[in-house]
Amino acid sequence: MPDEPNYNLDSPVLGLTGVGPTTERKLQQLGIYCIGDLLFHLPVRYQNRTQSTRIGQLQEGREALIEGLIDSKNISYGGRRNLTCRLSDTSGTAQLRFFHFSKQQFDALKPGYKLQCFGTPRKRKNNFEFIHPEYKIGTAFSVFPKVETLTPVYPLTEGMHQRKISGLISAAFNLLDNSKLESIELLPTSIRESFKLTNIIDSLRVIHSPPRKATSDIDQFILPHLRRLAFEELLTQKIYLNQERKNNSRWHAYRFPYTDLKEDFFGQLSFSLTSDQLKVVSEIERDLNHVTPMNRLLQGDVGSGKTVIAGSICASVVGNGYKAALMAPTELLAEQHHKTLSTWFNPLKIDTLLLTGKLNSAEKKAIYKKINSDRPLILVGTHALFQKQAKFKKLGLIIIDEQHRFGVEQREALLNKSRSGNLHAHQLLMTATPIPRTLAMTAYSQLDISTLRHLPKGRKRVATHVIADTRRDEIVRRIGDVFRGGGQIYWVCPLIEESKKLEKEAAKSIADKLSEVLPEMNVGLIHGKLSEQEKHDVMESFVNSRINLLVATTVIEVGVDVPDATLIVIENAEHLGLSQLHQLRGRVGRGDKEANCILLYQNPLSEIAKERLEIIRSTNDGFKIAELDLKLRGPGEFLGKRQSGIIQFKIANLMRDSHLIPEVNDAASQLRDLPEPTKELLFNRWMMIPHLKSLSQKSNETD
């Protein structure tokens, strides 16, 4: 371990006491790589342990700190071995129950000793009971030290406990001496004074340890300090996007005017484009006919017809003698795109190739040879497109489907394949998740955005039903009816506990039960413990109707068409966000048959869960749903995981902080001459640029 004086904000967490390789990996899952990241890992809520509650004044479901004497203890075996301990003060008695305990723990809980415990009481007969509370033991005359600050509760991952993460955050503050703490403040004094921003060190200390007086209105007490951090995060993003726009301005692109091939493409389609689609095609044609590289996001609800737009612009590029590449996040989705584009372009005598990781060496070499020739063609593939062996000649267009599934560096690696001198390809990103307006103004502000709002003719609205999980029997009967009518069914049991083992067990149990009660059906299963190839094989069997009912725990492939899938059942729907529910619902109704979505929930429902389920039941408008979901959940779900292609916010909440955007833009204008080292420190703090690169490099090495 390094000497303490050598610690700084960039020191890896691996050097901290108690952090080995396993803990390091768990911290990285939380976005924590260095000591500085620990300081910016903020609580999600607080517990009040500053004063104790008399046992007689406990309220069910409300966290409380109690003190009392141990009256008795007992081990019972009523179906499950458990330890109970009776605690009393002058106002009443309460029971503590432990299902997991050691002999040392049993021996330490001695009658007559004093106990201080914290937990959430539940009513059991005439007494209150605490299940696995936190506790401290003392003698009958012990005085437990008073806690002067509220206790933070941090976001966790599997195998990481509150005590561990709290200890590491405290250690991070303690290890950095005052001079190093001063280095945390990166904004000039003039900006802080101009926009009335607190000192960042003071804000971090308050957020991690609010004083007891904050109990009366913690939200209002914390808000100015959250505003300070959110302001810096939004400002950093604005500075970064301004810099990217400046860097991109030196690049030029090939011009692709309208060609006969495009005319032929439209002429051989078996359907007419909607007015929405024609408008988007026109916007993209203007971009392609210009020397400034297109950098456009095409957003459209599930089933809005983005693929035909991708095909039309491929026709423009190929018709001008260049190549087009379409990258999808999974082999199954790439295969589907390849099949669709081949149907359109084979009659026009245009090669449409497919490059994925599972091709053998000879097949890959044949494709590498074609893409390194002058011949115009369309290449569809997965991450394999940006591997070192894939060398392109005359790559004029890059289309990235489900762009949030790719990292910044991955997208850049593919764009580099097209660079020649000061030229590079036009770029179109596609997403089936509509972008809320506030998000478009910030995280997506460097992109031109095209929008498909309406579904093509013939697409039917999926009817949504909200049903308590006590009515499973009638849902099973409904599944049998759908199967006998020629339909296929999804049964989704999403991950609620952060454990792939528990997820697998729950899904397998459901699949086994459904197989038992529906023996005439072929039931398939996808869960998080399967390999990517196994998932692909199961999903392919469902696409090809070899599986009638698919039980899935992982998110079902966005964009994969199964025209006969007419029913989806979603377990634990009350735990999911609106956009996630809407995306899952979009897996059905992709053919010309009536489709239904059943949302199963468990009582009791919270008010916010009731609101979510009513919204998803009453509307199929993805844009309305996206706006409401951002309001209810914040931006995380729209921006994806940390390695995603668009910046994720650590702290800023775009609904809460949208009023800061004009001030942030003003501050960014004032900081045009911010020194490069300070910019880099800001980027590293808020955008995790080094870690994005590291993740992308690992992905390249293992592909």
Side-chain angles (χ1 to χ4, degrees):
M1 189 180 82
D3 295 331
E4 287 190 11
N6 293 330
Y7 278 106
N8 57 53
L9 291 172
D10 295 323
S11 297
V13 289
L14 190 59
L16 290 173
T17 302
V19 179
T22 300
T23 301
E24 180 190 35
R25 284 193 297 273
K26 293 183 187 305
L27 289 170
Q28 287 177 358
Q29 290 170 13
L30 294 167
I32 298 170
Y33 294 81
C34 60
I35 290 178
D37 293 334
L38 280 167
L39 302 182
F40 288 88
H41 187 70
L42 304 190
V44 289
R45 64 184 182 90
Y46 300 92
Q47 295 170 336
N48 184 5
R49 305 187 187 200
T50 62
Q51 55 189 20
S52 59
T53 300
R54 294 174 65 75
I55 291 174
Q57 296 174 329
L58 288 172
Q59 296 179 37
E60 186 169 20
R62 186 169 182 176
E63 289 179 330
L65 182 77
I66 62 171
E67 290 184 9
L69 294 175
I70 300 173
D71 291 338
S72 62
K73 62 179 178 178
N74 182 49
I75 295 178
S76 59
Y77 295 88
R80 186 178 180 186
R81 179 173 176 264
N82 61 93
L83 164 64
T84 55
C85 178
R86 191 178 179 86
L87 197 69
S88 67
D89 65 12
T90 55
S91 70
T93 61
Q95 182 167 266
L96 317 182
R97 187 181 298 273
F98 303 90
F99 295 106
H100 308 288
F101 60 93
S102 63
K103 183 179 184 303
Q104 291 86 346
Q105 187 177 4
F106 176 79
D107 292 342
L109 293 168
K110 297 177 180 178
Y113 274 43
K114 186 186 279 189
L115 203 69
Q116 182 187 71
C117 83
F118 182 86
T120 304
R122 68 174 188 177
K123 200 79 171 174
R124 185 176 173 88
K125 297 180 181 178
N126 296 322
N127 284 333
F128 281 106
E129 181 176 74
F130 291 79
I131 305 294
H132 279 281
E134 298 176 48
Y135 65 86
K136 297 176 183 175
I137 301 177
T139 67
F141 304 103
S142 293
V143 177
F144 295 106
K146 269 199 170 297
V147 176
E148 296 299 329
T149 63
L150 300 185
T151 302
V153 178
Y154 295 100
L156 298 175
T157 189
E158 185 180 5
M160 178 67 65
H161 303 289
Q162 286 295 336
R163 189 172 296 177
K164 181 76 169 180
I165 193 75
S166 295
L168 291 173
I169 290 169
S170 296
F173 274 110
N174 294 336
L175 283 171
L176 299 170
D177 60 31
N178 288 333
S179 63
K180 286 172 183 171
L181 277 176
E182 286 302 322
S183 69
I184 297 173
E185 184 56 80
L186 299 176
L187 297 187
T189 305
S190 59
I191 291 292
R192 300 204 308 272
E193 290 176 351
S194 220
F195 296 97
K196 298 182 174 59
L197 302 175
T198 59
N199 178 283
I200 199 167
I201 303 162
D202 296 339
S203 286
L204 285 170
R205 288 197 185 280
V206 168
I207 290 170
H208 284 291
S209 299
R212 184 194 299 204
K213 65 181 180 181
T215 307
S216 58
D217 194 347
I218 183 64
D219 289 343
Q220 287 306 309
F221 192 89
I222 293 293
L223 199 58
H225 303 285
L226 283 176
R227 175 186 179 271
R228 165 65 180 87
L229 302 184
F231 189 98
E232 183 177 305
E233 182 172 24
L234 291 168
L235 176 60
T236 301
Q237 184 203 57
K238 183 66 178 176
I239 292 170
Y240 179 79
L241 294 177
N242 287 346
Q243 180 171 296
E244 285 293 286
R245 194 173 292 111
K246 184 178 178 182
N247 291 341
N248 290 337
S249 65
R250 65 190 175 91
W251 291 98
H252 295 275
Y254 311 100
R255 286 183 64 246
F256 298 129
Y258 198 90
T259 66
D260 291 341
L261 182 64
K262 187 148 191 173
E263 193 72 41
D264 295 340
F265 174 82
F266 285 129
Q268 55 93 46
L269 292 176
S270 60
F271 54 87
S272 299
L273 268 61
T274 65
S275 57
D276 254 5
Q277 289 171 322
L278 290 170
K279 179 174 73 70
V280 170
V281 167
S282 178
E283 290 170 352
I284 293 172
E285 281 177 348
R286 283 197 298 272
D287 287 348
L288 295 181
N289 201 15
H290 202 280
V291 294
T292 301
M294 175 174 72
N295 194 24
R296 185 171 289 276
L297 175 72
L298 172 56
Q299 61 168 340
D301 212 343
V302 177
S304 57
K306 296 181 291 296
T307 307
V308 72
I309 289 175
S312 78
I313 62 174
C314 286
S316 292
V317 172
V318 175
N320 279 280
Y322 284 78
K323 294 181 181 66
L326 189 157
M327 184 164 68
T330 66
E331 291 187 349
L332 195 65
L333 193 50
E335 287 165 5
Q336 179 175 291
H337 280 312
H338 176 251
K339 181 179 177 182
T340 303
L341 291 172
S342 296
T343 302
W344 291 333
F345 284 99
N346 284 352
L348 303 176
K349 305 292 189 266
I350 299 298
D351 279 348
T352 306
L353 310 178
L354 177 65
L355 178 61
T356 64
K358 71 178 184 181
L359 296 182
N360 62 42
S361 296
E363 290 169 326
K364 286 180 181 176
K365 282 181 182 177
I367 290 176
Y368 294 152
K369 184 176 180 180
K370 287 184 179 181
I371 65 175
N372 199 24
S373 72
D374 289 324
R375 185 173 179 178
L377 54 80
I378 298 168
L379 179 65
V380 181
T382 55
H383 301 72
L385 293 187
F386 58 74
Q387 299 308 296
K388 187 161 58 174
Q389 301 94 322
K391 294 183 172 64
F392 288 83
K393 274 190 182 176
K394 301 180 73 173
L395 178 57
L397 171 69
I398 292 167
I399 301 172
I400 300 180
D401 193 22
E402 292 308 313
Q403 54 81 28
H404 61 280
R405 302 272 293 274
F406 293 97
V408 174
E409 297 300 313
Q410 293 172 330
R411 281 178 21 200
E412 188 70 14
L414 185 53
L415 197 61
N416 281 337
K417 301 279 186 183
S418 72
R419 287 185 167 139
S420 175
N422 69 337
L423 293 169
H424 71 59
H426 295 281
Q427 186 171 222
L428 178 72
L429 313 178
M430 300 199 300
T431 180
T433 304
I435 309 301
R437 186 180 59 84
T438 312
L439 208 54
M441 292 164 55
T442 51
Y444 293 84
S445 63
Q446 83 279 28
L447 300 171
D448 295 311
I449 298 179
S450 290
T451 302
L452 293 172
R453 286 192 170 272
H454 304 107
L455 298 183
K457 287 180 181 177
R459 273 296 172 103
K460 290 184 169 63
R461 182 180 183 273
V462 178
T464 304
H465 316 273
V466 180
I467 298 176
D469 68 351
T470 52
R471 295 167 57 189
R472 286 172 179 267
D473 289 348
E474 61 185 86
I475 292 168
V476 170
R477 288 195 295 272
R478 178 86 167 268
I479 287 173
D481 293 340
V482 170
F483 168 67
R484 286 184 285 275
Q488 291 172 268
I489 303 98
Y490 292 101
W491 188 298
V492 183
C493 39
L495 179 63
I496 303 304
E497 299 284 345
E498 285 295 326
S499 166
K500 286 186 177 179
K501 183 179 178 184
L502 292 176
E503 175 195 54
K504 174 187 173 182
E505 289 170 357
K508 189 174 185 308
S509 173
I510 288 171
D512 289 345
K513 287 175 185 174
L514 290 171
S515 295
E516 185 180 330
V517 297
L518 296 164
E520 72 275 25
M521 297 179 66
N522 189 3
V523 179
L525 173 63
I526 285 183
H527 55 74
K529 299 287 277 185
L530 294 180
S531 68
E532 289 305 314
Q533 185 60 49
E534 288 171 326
K535 290 177 191 174
H536 174 276
D537 292 344
V538 174
M539 197 69 200
E540 187 176 49
S541 292
F542 188 63
V543 170
N544 294 322
S545 301
R546 293 191 294 273
I547 288 173
N548 316 116
L549 169 57
L550 179 63
V551 178
T553 59
T554 52
V555 176
I556 304 161
E557 300 295 352
V558 173
V560 173
D561 281 321
V562 186
D564 288 334
T566 57
L567 175 63
I568 184 167
V569 180
I570 304 173
E571 292 250 19
N572 299 305
E574 72 274 18
H575 292 286
L576 302 183
L578 284 171
S579 289
Q580 196 174 2
L581 287 171
H582 183 60
Q583 287 293 321
L584 288 170
R585 176 171 61 184
R587 298 307 94 225
V588 297
R590 303 182 75 85
D592 55 4
K593 299 176 182 176
E594 298 286 347
N596 290 272
C597 171
I598 294 175
L599 305 179
L600 281 181
Y601 68 88
Q602 288 185 343
N603 277 314
L605 282 178
S606 67
E607 287 305 312
I608 195 167
K610 287 179 185 175
E611 186 178 356
R612 277 199 198 113
L613 294 178
E614 176 54 29
I615 289 168
I616 204 75
R617 186 197 65 77
S618 61
T619 182
N620 282 62
D621 184 338
F623 291 90
K624 181 178 179 181
I625 287 168
E627 291 288 350
L628 291 169
D629 203 18
L630 181 61
K631 183 177 180 181
L632 291 173
R633 284 169 68 85
E637 183 177 323
F638 297 96
L639 300 176
K641 298 178 182 177
R642 283 213 190 277
Q643 63 265 40
S644 66
I646 296 292
I647 305 154
Q648 178 179 5
F649 294 107
K650 288 183 178 180
I651 291 164
N653 179 304
L654 290 178
M655 297 306 292
R656 181 194 67 208
D657 303 321
S658 59
H659 66 285
L660 296 177
I661 293 171
E663 291 185 354
V664 164
N665 292 342
D666 186 9
S669 298
Q670 295 181 37
L671 292 175
R672 283 200 181 100
D673 298 324
L674 193 66
E676 286 302 318
T678 305
K679 281 186 190 177
E680 286 301 312
L681 289 171
L682 284 168
F683 296 160
N684 292 348
R685 172 180 295 173
W686 295 110
M687 302 174 69
M688 303 186 65
I689 301 297
H691 312 309
L692 286 171
K693 289 180 179 177
S694 171
L695 284 164
S696 181
Q697 285 163 1
K698 286 178 184 175
S699 173
N700 286 348
E701 290 164 6
T702 57
D703 200 291

